[in-house]
Amino acid sequence: MIRWLLFFALASGLVAYAFWVYLRVELSVAWGRRLAVLRALALVVVLALLFDLRLPASGPGGRDERWVLLDASLSMGATGPDGTSAWEAARERAGALDRQGWRVVRFAAPAEGGAETDGPFGTASRLAPALQRAAESGVRTVRVLSDLRLEDQVAVRASLAALPLEVTFEGFGGEIVNAGVSALDVPDLVRPDGSVDAEIEVHATGGDSLTVRVFEEDSQVAELRVAAPSPGLRSRLTVELPTPSTQGRVRYRASVSLDGDGFPSDDTATRYTSVGHPEGALLLVSLRPDWEPRYLLPALQEVTGLPAIGYLRVGPDAFVPMGRALDRGPPVDSASVSRAAADAAVLVLHGLGADADAWARGLASRPGRKILAPVDAEGAALAGITAGEPRGGEWYASADVPTSPIAGALSGLSLQGLPPLTGVLLPDDPARVRGALLVQLRGAGAPEAALHLDDLEDGRTAILLASGLWRWAARAEGREPYRRVWSGVADWLLADRGVNTSEVRPTSWVVARGEAVSWSVPADTTELHLTVVAIDSATAGTADSVLAEATVRGGGLSTGVLPPGPYRYRVTDGAGTLRTEGRFDVASATAEMVPAPEEPEPAAGAGPLQAGVEPPGRPLRTLPWPYLLVIGLLCGEWVARRRSGLR
């Protein structure tokens, strides 16, 4: 009652204010009273929205008062021993309630960009948002038809206590037998001659033991029998797998089997791993090995936290991995290094010079985040800077720290007294170079750039224009400045953590079910053609098997939501020449069957609201017409003011 008295008092004041403005303050015009009415109506409607007034419901027991929330998540499709599913029974019950005047609303976490289907479509049972929507729509009574495997139990309990709803649960599904793989983790294998420890997480409902199998590509490499975890819990297993039969990107698949499994969708999980190099790593390639890689690679690994791998060139097509002798593998060829570079998050190319072959020049022009250390004028040109031959002499670090992205990392450092650098490359156009670290010949000459940071469209590049920086790290007083320099460079390189690769590829090799397949495209890409086909299609390669096609240009790309399964992609140019190809998977598994069926209860001691406290009816703020009415009244008032001569 007090609320309504306050509303009418404020509304009367707003109406009086509108008439006072037009009859006392504004110039007297013929339409003054009409203008006052328009403004008063607009103010009263806004006040009604602020007071959250409700419209009367469509009669007792009307469809606006009673909702049926039908669970449309994938777990509702699980079949029991009798061959029926919870979805069939719940849909039949929802149809009967619909004929009695209830409004049926389906709830679940929908697939991104995917439309709802006649059957279960959601990848998770999330009830709390549906309860919130019902309360905001003025619903008083809600009946939930579900298998009660709710993902947001805590949020639902809080909503039951806080929202003015009368909620009744009806459970469906009965006894379901199911086993699934919740997660599969196979680490990257740097050395192609070692074993792999796979981590497998399984869940189950019913049954005593499970059979877990692991496949490398299409060959089974492991099988074990394990005890089934209790419903609602998960078990994590460690399985030692044999040495991979190939290098590069290898596909592993883990499957679980249980007699009478009624939900086969979560029986398999897939993972891709890189053999011979870690994916998303820091890669250093030295074309002219000296002491710099010895200090640079550990420093960058420490400040970035990325897995690191380095290769030293020892022959025309031979590279020795860096590291301890016990950890190093045999020498590899340039093809192996190229595969590692394609998957690297940061590439460090050291010793770039006139003797660089076409393969090394291709690495220098690779899009993405990279650090280049040229040793002569031609190497500087490959890095994008025209310069003369290296200048000898002793070049000492300048005490002045220029404004640059790494200035913060260098603040407070004393750079005087550090060992001198040598072989400085002086650019022909100093204005073209943004020096982040300055050096002076014999400590008294003009400052010259020893480190240049270039922010290009296809990735950020740091260019080291001097040699001998490793001497700082070799002395105790220079280790902190050395680390601070490369810490600032690494922070700047990784500031934009979006995927940035040298080729068109999916941003994830295994895409979650229901998510759109997004692609990483180099910024300098002009126009390419992408084709995605299903690997297991009997007509793979024909027009009938094409799942997605797109024209690729620089920037991001999405090919939408694809059905679960393995896929192969091809990228060709305008002439039909193959530029790159590969494969990826859309996962079929979901975590739908992990939670045990449980009817939520209101949280103890939660909010004070109880069903029936708020008046029945639909809130005015949930309807579109009050907002349109306010806009129309204000626009009408403005037009009428101008036509009557008022500003």
Side-chain angles (χ1 to χ4, degrees):
M1 186 65 181
I2 297 178
R3 186 165 174 263
W4 281 106
L5 290 176
L6 179 61
F7 172 77
F8 284 117
L10 292 176
S12 301
L14 292 174
V15 172
Y17 167 76
F19 277 88
W20 175 75
V21 167
Y22 276 102
L23 299 181
R24 299 290 185 182
V25 178
E26 296 282 4
L27 296 175
S28 179
V29 294
W31 289 2
R33 295 183 180 276
R34 299 178 186 177
L35 291 172
V37 170
L38 292 176
R39 178 170 294 188
L41 287 175
L43 294 175
V44 171
V45 173
V46 171
L47 183 65
L49 291 172
L50 294 176
F51 268 71
D52 197 20
L53 299 185
R54 292 170 176 262
L55 295 180
S58 56
R63 294 175 67 94
D64 289 339
E65 282 188 324
R66 301 188 300 172
W67 275 18
V68 173
L69 297 181
L70 176 61
D71 189 350
S73 60
L74 292 172
S75 63
M76 293 286 288
T79 56
D82 58 354
T84 61
S85 66
W87 174 254
E88 296 171 351
R91 188 169 58 174
E92 182 178 351
R93 173 63 172 154
L97 292 173
D98 180 67
R99 290 188 291 272
Q100 296 176 18
W102 294 68
R103 179 182 177 185
V104 179
V105 178
R106 293 189 290 179
F107 74 92
E112 181 181 337
E116 298 184 4
T117 62
D118 292 335
F121 61 88
T123 56
S125 298
R126 295 175 185 163
L127 176 60
L131 294 176
Q132 183 70 32
R133 177 185 171 192
E136 291 180 350
S137 299
V139 176
R140 313 306 303 161
T141 305
V142 172
R143 184 163 295 182
V144 180
L145 310 182
S146 170
D147 59 359
L148 302 180
R149 299 180 184 271
L150 303 175
E151 183 183 271
D152 55 347
Q153 284 275 357
V154 176
V156 171
R157 287 196 294 268
S159 299
L160 292 177
L163 298 176
L165 295 173
E166 181 182 349
V167 183
T168 305
F169 290 89
E170 294 187 21
F172 296 86
E175 295 295 330
I176 299 294
V177 177
N178 173 67
V181 182
S182 306
L184 171 63
D185 184 22
V186 184
D188 293 333
L189 187 63
V190 178
R191 293 184 59 178
D193 57 350
S195 61
V196 182
D197 288 335
E199 298 285 339
I200 305 173
E201 193 175 75
V202 297
H203 60 269
T205 303
D208 297 325
S209 59
L210 315 174
T211 301
V212 180
R213 298 180 178 87
V214 183
F215 298 83
E216 177 194 327
E217 299 296 347
D218 295 324
S219 302
Q220 181 175 319
V221 293
E223 179 177 342
L224 66 158
R225 191 82 173 170
V226 299
S230 301
L233 301 179
R234 313 185 196 196
S235 293
R236 195 164 186 87
L237 319 170
T238 300
V239 183
E240 184 176 351
L241 306 180
T243 301
S245 58
T246 184
Q247 295 191 37
R249 189 167 293 109
V250 180
R251 180 177 184 263
Y252 283 93
R253 177 168 53 91
S255 66
V256 63
S257 59
L258 177 65
D259 292 339
D261 194 331
F263 190 70
S265 177
D266 60 355
D267 291 352
T268 303
T270 306
R271 168 81 180 194
Y272 284 87
T273 185
S274 295
V275 178
H277 64 274
E279 187 171 339
L282 168 72
L283 175 68
L284 185 147
V285 180
S286 180
L287 305 177
R288 292 187 186 180
D290 59 14
W291 285 100
E292 195 70 61
R294 163 69 177 81
Y295 294 98
L296 179 57
L297 186 61
L300 289 175
Q301 182 180 17
E302 178 188 358
V303 298
T304 62
L306 297 173
I309 184 171
Y311 293 102
L312 305 178
R313 191 167 203 165
V314 295
D317 196 32
F319 294 83
V320 175
M322 294 177 60
R324 298 189 311 163
L326 294 177
D327 298 332
R328 290 200 304 262
V332 299
D333 57 10
S334 59
S336 299
V337 179
S338 295
R339 287 194 295 267
D343 294 334
V346 178
L347 172 65
V348 183
L349 188 58
H350 171 262
L352 186 62
D355 57 350
D357 54 15
W359 172 84
R361 294 169 183 261
L363 281 186
S365 59
R366 166 193 179 272
R369 308 174 186 91
K370 53 184 179 287
I371 299 174
L372 303 179
V375 294
D376 55 27
E378 189 166 347
L382 293 174
I385 296 177
T386 57
E389 292 302 320
R391 291 281 301 275
E394 297 180 342
W395 295 80
Y396 291 90
S398 173
D400 295 330
V401 177
T403 302
S404 73
I406 70 170
L410 301 181
S411 63
L413 279 179
S414 177
L415 301 178
Q416 294 180 332
L418 296 175
L421 308 185
T422 60
V424 176
L425 295 167
L426 301 180
D428 295 341
D429 183 9
R432 163 72 176 79
V433 175
R434 181 174 61 171
L437 177 67
L438 303 180
V439 292
Q440 296 173 283
L441 182 60
R442 294 185 292 276
E448 300 289 350
L451 180 64
H452 168 57
L453 305 180
D454 204 354
D455 195 351
L456 303 174
E457 290 185 359
D458 60 355
R460 293 181 170 182
T461 303
I463 304 173
L464 185 61
L465 297 173
S467 302
L469 196 62
W470 61 269
R471 295 188 180 94
W472 292 12
R475 297 181 59 176
E477 63 271 20
R479 289 170 190 164
E480 181 61 17
Y482 187 84
R483 181 185 179 278
R484 295 270 288 272
V485 167
W486 291 116
S487 175
V489 171
D491 183 67
W492 173 74
L493 286 174
L494 298 173
D496 59 335
R497 287 293 299 178
V499 177
N500 194 346
T501 64
S502 58
E503 60 182 22
V504 179
R505 52 179 274 186
T507 56
S508 175
W509 300 115
V510 180
V511 182
R513 182 171 186 161
E515 290 187 1
V517 182
S518 57
W519 299 78
S520 174
V521 182
D524 61 346
T525 301
T526 54
E527 185 169 326
L528 300 173
H529 182 71
L530 169 68
T531 305
V532 178
V533 299
I535 291 180
D536 58 350
S537 174
T539 57
T542 68
D544 294 337
S545 68
V546 175
L547 269 295
E549 288 186 288
T551 299
V552 181
R553 296 181 178 86
L557 174 68
S558 174
T559 49
V561 178
L562 297 179
Y567 294 89
R568 185 177 300 279
Y569 67 91
R570 291 169 53 89
V571 180
T572 57
D573 57 19
T577 303
L578 179 65
R579 297 289 294 272
T580 184
E581 62 180 346
R583 15 170 224 172
F584 67 94
D585 277 63
V586 176
S588 61
T590 68
E592 276 282 276
M593 298 297 292
V594 175
E598 179 185 357
E599 182 174 330
E601 295 291 340
L609 296 179
Q610 300 293 333
V613 170
E614 293 190 8
R618 183 170 181 179
L620 197 64
R621 57 185 166 81
T622 64
L623 299 172
W625 64 262
Y627 304 95
L628 297 176
L629 178 60
V630 171
I631 295 174
L633 291 172
L634 293 178
C635 292
E637 180 191 358
W638 181 82
V639 172
R641 283 176 61 90
R642 296 302 296 267
R643 292 180 65 87
S644 63
L646 295 177
R647 291 289 182 179

